[in-house]
Amino acid sequence: MSSASFVRTQNAVPLFLAAFAIATTGLLAVHQIPAIDRDIFERLVVAFGEPEPPALTGNIVLEWMSVGGMLNAGGFAVIGSGIAYIVLKLTGIPRVVASTSLFVLSLMYQWLLWHFFQLEPHPVGFIAAIIGGATAGIILRLREDRRREVESHYYELKLKNKELMETRLDLLKQDEMERRILAADLHDQVLNDLKQVAHRFEKYSTEPDPENAEQIRSLTNQVMNEIREVMDSLSPSVLEHLGLGAAIDDCLRRGSERAGFRVRFKSKIDNSDLDCLSMVEKGLLYRLCQETITNTCKHAGASTVKATLEREEDNLLIKIIDDGKGIDPAKIRGDSRGLKYMRYRADLIGATIGWKPGESNKGTTVEIRINLGDRIAAQAAQATQLAVQSAVTTTEQ
Amino acid sequence: MLKLLVVDDLPALRQHIINLVKEKVVKDVEVQEAPNGAEGLKLFKSFRPDMIIMDIVMPEMSGIKAAQAIWAEHPRTKILFWSQFHREAYVRELGKIVPDDAIHGYALKGESDEKLIYALTSIMLHDNPYIDPQVRGVQTRLQSKDNSLSDVEYETLLDITLGLTDKAIASRRHISVRGVQNRLSMLSAKLFRGEDIYLKESAGMEVYNPRTRIVLEGLKRGLIDTDKIPELDTELDEWIADEFDYEKSPAR
């Protein structure tokens, strides 16, 4: 509501400006430009000092019915409507109001000119009026466009900002939740087992039999395994040491152990193709795949899950395809929190993630894309810059 | 004298395994140590060891990178990877880079010394690849009356029963081709106790096809459970589909 009234008050001014431009250009054109000052002066004297009676004073309707009057009125009506149309195209003013006001303004002004200065209408006046009106219209249009752009930009930014804040909060919440799970793991498993180890040691100090020692040994091993599991969930060792492909493969195989589906893994890329990705980016890509595979384990009931890594022009494309139940389209559109978080996470590194029904509408295909070309180019540029810098420093030395 | 190079970033662990080798595996051994892959690679070039014990995660250069460089130069070098990582992915990845002629192994830190000694002995003395069964998810052994075969030899017996070539076994079990061949000769040595060699010498020719003969011997001794063969075959199809992206057309 506020924005609509804002538009209207703003446009009262342009309307006047347009009318003023028509009238002024009309006036200037009627007179020969070099003689204008004297002419106007003389006519002002005539008008105010010694008012001459107008040539036709009787019926105003009759006066306007003269040829000049008709031309004047008709011409300005056309111009007025034309400009009104231009103005109308940009603003929210009702068409009738704008055209009528311009029409009335031009008529009034023309009558004043004729009444006080006995100015005859002239075709040049019309042409100049058209030009002036159009110029005014164009200027107005530009101003209006600019204003709208700024306004929409402002709202867009505001909206984005709001979204960003929400996303950040959501991600923070999820991180917090993960931390709690981790703490629970450490507490419930590792700490409890360590307590048992301590307890057995106590027992061992009073009755040192080999069976007790063996139990301590196996408990310690168990604790080591648990710590390894926790560490792996923090930072997957396979990803770090063997690369993204091996890590996704590994994740898939572990999923298959849990959910019993068959796995196919195919990487059509070299590990070196991924050198342009930072460890953080690889980590996030891995998490996306991991979450996808976890979802597949939980919900899909698939019998085969395939994962492929390939180049698609400048992009790295990771596909995870299952032949399970398929995914509810409403969830893809944004009803699912989990998928929304995954989108956010992909967004953080400029990657995209999409879900669609698999071949012949069976199962789900998840596609994750990230641009490698730009990253490679950026790194090459950086390398050149470094080379130039070092060359410069060596020459300086 | 056997030359051994130990590459690990923890001095205590290096000392532990060196002591173990000297006490339990080979007394007469010349040892050098390196704290990371890069140093290890440098030492390898001057020292030329017969055998390397290699940690996987080390500063500067990982054990995998160092092994790749060493194998590129000298593909017959024996390497036992000694790592804390249980994931099969490591063994699979190493299986991809091991040259046909190398013997390698994968042992876990934190396992018992006996296991480590077994791994060291089998690689250093018997040229037999060793991969910790915990990592590899070893084939569950069928009930058999004969305990003379080790788990890996038994696994190799099943693989040749299924008709796999040396190369295919190597790739399926993540070891080198030479490793497979050594396992096969261990297998026939255990099953025939040298009789096949006597026969070959006195006949002056190869009388039996050794692979088929091994399978026959396995059947005779009840090592191969024929009821389980369809199951093993399905598993093999699974591996083929996974490895070569080849789906068998469905049976008509």
Side-chain angles (χ1 to χ4, degrees):
Chain A
M1 188 217 96
S2 65
S3 90
S5 70
F6 170 75
V7 168
R8 285 215 180 114
T9 43
Q10 277 253 316
N11 284 301
V13 181
L15 214 62
F16 263 109
L17 274 173
F20 185 69
I22 299 162
T24 316
T25 43
L27 174 65
L28 289 176
V30 167
H31 294 275
Q32 288 81 19
I33 305 290
I36 192 161
D37 285 351
R38 205 195 56 223
D39 247 33
I40 286 178
F41 180 72
E42 275 177 9
R43 276 164 208 276
L44 280 173
V45 169
V46 172
F48 295 108
E50 232 178 78
E52 266 177 39
L56 291 160
T57 45
N59 193 337
I60 197 164
V61 178
L62 275 180
E63 285 167 22
W64 277 103
M65 281 178 69
S66 68
V67 179
M70 292 293 279
L71 266 176
N72 233 354
F76 274 96
V78 170
I79 296 162
S81 313
I83 291 176
Y85 184 70
I86 297 173
V87 176
L88 269 173
K89 287 285 271 187
L90 345 153
T91 66
I93 309 172
R95 201 174 287 253
V96 186
V97 175
S99 336
T100 318
S101 43
L102 271 167
F103 187 65
V104 171
L105 274 170
S106 62
L107 279 186
M108 277 171 62
Y109 201 81
Q110 211 49 42
W111 183 79
L112 280 172
L113 283 181
W114 180 80
H115 187 81
F116 289 113
F117 308 110
Q118 283 83 47
L119 286 176
E120 293 286 323
H122 194 280
V124 177
F126 295 138
I127 294 165
I130 291 169
I131 296 170
T135 316
I138 290 166
I139 292 170
L140 289 173
R141 165 175 244 156
L142 289 177
R143 270 188 44 177
E144 179 65 15
D145 282 356
R146 175 93 193 111
R147 198 181 58 74
R148 283 196 177 188
E149 199 182 310
V150 169
E151 205 169 86
S152 68
H153 229 74
Y154 172 76
Y155 284 117
E156 205 176 297
L157 273 179
K158 218 168 171 178
L159 209 71
K160 272 228 167 113
N161 207 20
K162 192 166 160 256
E163 254 170 36
L164 213 67
M165 293 293 282
E166 280 173 4
T167 312
R168 259 174 53 187
L169 197 67
D170 280 349
L171 290 180
L172 276 178
K173 274 189 206 153
Q174 225 203 359
D175 283 350
E176 186 56 35
M177 211 167 71
E178 272 166 20
R179 238 173 268 145
R180 276 177 195 202
I181 292 171
L182 207 66
D185 277 355
L186 282 174
H187 178 267
D188 297 349
Q189 296 177 8
V190 180
L191 210 60
N192 275 347
D193 285 347
L194 278 177
K195 269 184 207 155
Q196 273 201 53
V197 172
H199 178 71
R200 296 225 183 255
F201 258 123
E202 229 165 78
K203 207 172 153 199
Y204 187 77
S205 58
T206 52
E207 39 177 310
D209 64 282
E211 199 182 314
N212 225 330
E214 182 46 43
Q215 271 174 341
I216 290 173
R217 210 191 111 77
S218 80
L219 263 175
T220 320
N221 267 339
Q222 202 175 315
V223 172
M224 285 200 302
N225 279 336
E226 282 159 6
I227 291 177
R228 216 175 272 127
E229 286 288 317
V230 172
M231 275 171 51
D232 229 45
S233 67
L234 283 173
S235 160
S237 58
V238 177
L239 175 67
E240 201 174 315
H241 305 133
L242 306 177
L244 188 60
I248 295 173
D249 188 12
D250 182 55
C251 186
L252 208 59
R253 277 168 210 272
R254 268 184 300 148
S256 107
E257 278 164 28
R258 265 177 292 151
F261 47 68
R262 286 179 302 176
V263 294
R264 301 276 178 272
F265 176 79
K266 190 102 203 154
S267 172
K268 293 175 196 158
I269 54 159
D270 279 342
N271 253 345
S272 58
D273 286 350
L274 304 179
D275 284 351
C276 62
L277 295 173
S278 71
M279 214 50 221
V280 174
E281 287 168 330
K282 282 182 201 167
L284 272 167
L285 288 174
Y286 173 73
R287 296 266 180 233
L288 287 176
C289 297
Q290 192 184 29
E291 223 165 317
T292 303
I293 293 165
T294 310
N295 285 342
T296 311
C297 289
K298 273 197 215 152
H299 310 297
S303 65
T304 308
V305 181
K306 275 188 225 175
T308 57
L309 267 77
E310 60 195 286
R311 277 296 279 267
E312 184 200 59
E313 289 163 26
D314 264 2
N315 288 331
L316 164 69
L317 169 62
I318 305 172
K319 273 201 232 174
I320 298 170
I321 305 162
D322 73 61
D323 59 355
K325 284 201 280 257
I327 191 167
D328 180 5
K331 280 196 174 162
I332 304 174
R333 279 198 302 273
D335 288 1
S336 154
R337 261 173 130 50
L339 301 194
K340 202 168 78 182
Y341 291 144
M342 287 169 84
R343 261 198 203 111
Y344 288 162
R345 285 186 194 280
D347 233 26
L348 289 177
I349 51 167
T352 58
I353 180 165
W355 294 263
K356 61 180 192 192
E359 271 173 46
S360 58
N361 259 342
K362 211 166 168 264
T364 311
T365 298
V366 182
E367 294 182 340
I368 302 168
R369 285 185 175 80
I370 187 164
N371 188 302
L372 296 181
D374 289 353
R375 286 177 167 79
I376 292 171
Q379 274 179 0
Q382 208 177 7
T384 339
Q385 204 181 356
L386 278 178
V388 169
Q389 261 173 17
S390 71
V392 168
T393 34
T394 8
T395 21
E396 274 171 2
Q397 279 167 358
Chain B
M1 198 197 295
L2 209 74
K3 286 179 176 177
L4 174 70
L5 173 64
V6 181
V7 190
D8 196 310
D9 54 336
L10 294 176
L13 284 179
R14 293 202 298 262
Q15 209 44 57
H16 176 74
I17 204 161
I18 290 168
N19 289 342
L20 217 57
V21 170
K22 284 188 172 163
E23 281 166 27
K24 300 282 169 66
V25 189
V26 224
K27 279 195 183 64
D28 213 9
V29 63
E30 195 188 338
V31 184
Q32 295 233 11
E33 303 173 44
N36 61 53
E39 287 288 315
L41 190 56
K42 227 187 276 169
L43 256 179
F44 169 81
K45 285 176 183 166
S46 55
F47 180 50
R48 286 283 169 192
D50 306 289
M51 161 98 181
I52 302 173
I53 294 166
M54 182 89 84
D55 188 14
I56 292 213
V57 181
M58 289 176 289
E60 296 218 29
M61 189 192 264
S62 79
I64 297 176
K65 286 237 169 76
Q68 245 173 328
I70 287 169
W71 274 333
E73 210 168 298
H74 205 265
R76 284 184 79 91
T77 311
K78 296 183 206 170
I79 304 181
L80 172 66
F81 294 93
W82 193 34
S83 152
Q84 52 170 317
F85 298 106
H86 286 61
R87 289 279 154 73
E88 203 195 345
Y90 288 89
V91 169
R92 206 176 304 126
E93 215 59 28
L94 289 172
K96 282 183 202 159
I97 62 164
V98 64
D100 281 354
D101 282 340
I103 296 297
H104 84 297
Y106 193 92
L108 286 172
K109 284 180 182 169
E111 288 295 317
S112 64
D113 283 350
E114 289 83 67
K115 258 183 154 178
L116 194 54
I117 292 165
Y118 180 77
L120 286 164
T121 318
S122 98
I123 295 171
M124 284 174 97
L125 305 182
H126 304 310
D127 280 358
N128 239 332
Y130 173 87
I131 288 167
D132 194 295
Q134 223 182 307
V135 188
R136 217 174 28 121
V138 84
Q139 196 99 39
T140 41
R141 192 162 180 163
L142 308 174
Q143 59 278 39
S144 87
K145 301 129 207 163
D146 198 325
N147 280 327
S148 59
L149 297 187
S150 75
D151 284 350
V152 286
E153 283 152 7
Y154 180 68
E155 187 184 72
T156 312
L157 173 64
L158 293 183
D159 279 341
I160 54 170
T161 308
L162 291 168
L164 289 177
T165 59
D166 289 358
K167 230 182 156 93
I169 299 174
S171 132
R172 187 177 187 193
R173 304 300 171 194
H174 315 301
I175 55 176
S176 67
V177 174
R178 193 167 142 237
V180 176
Q181 286 157 356
N182 288 351
R183 276 186 183 173
L184 271 173
S185 47
M186 279 296 267
L187 196 57
S188 54
K190 280 195 178 172
L191 290 177
F192 307 125
R193 304 189 177 282
E195 246 177 273
D196 52 335
I197 297 163
Y198 298 140
L199 175 63
K200 190 180 160 189
E201 271 171 13
S202 52
M205 61 180 254
E206 196 94 68
V207 180
Y208 295 128
N209 174 323
R211 289 174 105 86
T212 321
R213 198 67 191 166
I214 289 173
V215 176
L216 179 69
E217 193 66 27
L219 284 167
K220 278 206 302 209
R221 296 197 194 186
L223 289 168
I224 301 164
D225 185 345
T226 42
D227 293 345
K228 288 276 170 83
I229 285 181
E231 199 181 301
L232 294 173
D233 205 26
T234 323
E235 259 171 46
L236 177 63
D237 287 344
E238 262 304 295
W239 173 73
I240 288 172
D242 189 14
E243 184 79 13
F244 306 109
D245 216 2
Y246 175 84
E247 298 281 352
K248 227 177 175 181
S249 43
R252 268 154 292 176

